[in-house]
Amino acid sequence: EADIYQTPRYLVIGTGKKITLECSQTMGHDKMYWYQQDPGMELHLIHYSYGVNSTEKGDLSSESTVSRIRTEHFPLTLESARPSHTSQYLCASSQTGLQNSPLHFGNGTRLTVT
Amino acid sequence: KQEVTQIPAALSVPEGENLVLNCSFTDSAIYNLQWFRQDPGKGLTSLLLIQSSQREQTSGRLNASLDKSSGRSTLYIAASQPGDSATYLCAVRGGSEKLVFGKGTKLTVNP
């Protein structure tokens, strides 16, 4: 059973608010990822990290930012939420050094911006 | 640019039936292919991972095959059960750290 946790599970917030989506994993994985998923659509990578102090942008342009100060923690921040940010955000991790290591996902945060 | 397609988009079968889900990808230069299950409102659960050098992987009632040269993978589910109802996603990993996902097949198994 993968141990990767996302909070909150659901968030409804007004336009212009600053929000942080939390993601933590207890598996000691160096690699962590944030994906965005709209209903019925494929997942798109928005951020990833190879380890502490490493962050990279993914394929999908996003106004969010991430930080990786601790191995187990990979929060995502939106400075000013907009209705276009309404989506499901999924955090994942995998083991370093193993190219064929499976990806482990959290349960996601469903964000609604009104 | 890698593209992943899953057919059909939705499938409804009676309990007990054997079924096949299809996944195709455009660039055969992959490290691995992974099948996931996603329940409504939840994250993804990894089911099977096939390395590029492998032809198939099995776990319980699930069997995944990979034909890298033709850019195809199938997920075979034997003796389907209502608990198998979920969306099944296929993802391929190329030379970067990034997985490219298909849109998934929504499976409904009717009791």
Side-chain angles (χ1 to χ4, degrees), chain A residues 72-85:
Chain A
E72 62 272 20
H73 196 211
F74 191 40
L76 181 146
T77 298
L78 277 165
E79 290 292 333
S80 180
R82 294 210 293 268
S84 61
H85 297 139

Side-chain angles (χ1 to χ4, degrees), chain B residues 4-103:
Chain B
V4 179
T5 303
Q6 291 188 246
I7 294 173
L11 180 63
S12 182
V13 300
E15 182 176 3
E17 192 162 298
N18 301 325
L19 58 100
V20 175
L21 307 181
N22 296 292
C23 172
S24 61
F25 47 95
T26 54
D27 185 349
S28 61
I30 64 170
Y31 277 122
N32 60 53
L33 182 145
Q34 205 167 344
W35 281 94
F36 293 89
R37 168 186 173 137
Q38 186 174 30
D39 293 288
K42 297 284 187 68
L44 280 67
T45 300
S46 178
L47 297 173
L48 291 164
L49 184 149
I50 310 178
Q51 300 176 29
S52 61
S53 58
Q54 297 176 320
R55 294 296 298 243
E56 64 179 312
Q57 280 283 348
T58 298
S59 176
R61 294 183 292 110
L62 305 179
N63 176 275
S65 69
L66 174 63
D67 184 342
K68 202 172 69 161
S69 60
S70 67
R72 294 176 193 271
S73 175
T74 61
L75 179 66
Y76 175 83
I77 303 177
S80 58
Q81 302 169 359
D84 295 330
S85 298
T87 297
Y88 291 81
L89 294 136
C90 162
V92 297
R93 181 172 172 221
S96 69
E97 292 298 326
K98 306 166 190 176
L99 284 181
V100 179
F101 283 83
K103 292 182 180 180

Side-chain angles (χ1 to χ4, degrees), chain A residues 25-105:
Chain A
Q25 50 94 6
T26 59
M27 297 172 283
H29 289 170
D30 282 341
K31 297 176 186 172
M32 296 189 74
Y33 312 82
W34 276 102
Y35 285 87
Q36 185 174 341
Q37 184 185 31
D38 293 317
M41 302 298 289
E42 60 268 66
L43 278 74
H44 291 287
L45 182 68
I46 51 175
H47 297 285
Y48 60 102
S49 167
Y50 293 130
V52 172
N53 295 324
S54 155
T55 61
E56 302 285 344
K57 287 192 178 295
D59 296 323
L60 183 68
S61 174
S62 174
E63 294 164 345
S64 59
T65 59
V66 292
S67 63
R68 192 85 185 276
I69 298 172
R70 302 199 317 265
T71 298
E72 62 272 20
H73 196 211
F74 191 40
L76 181 146
T77 298
L78 277 165
E79 290 292 333
S80 180
R82 294 210 293 268
S84 61
H85 297 139
T86 294
S87 188
Q88 172 154 266
Y89 294 84
L90 293 163
C91 181
S93 71
S94 66
Q95 182 67 42
T96 298
L98 297 176
Q99 289 178 339
N100 290 302
S101 171
L103 218 57
H104 298 277
F105 280 85

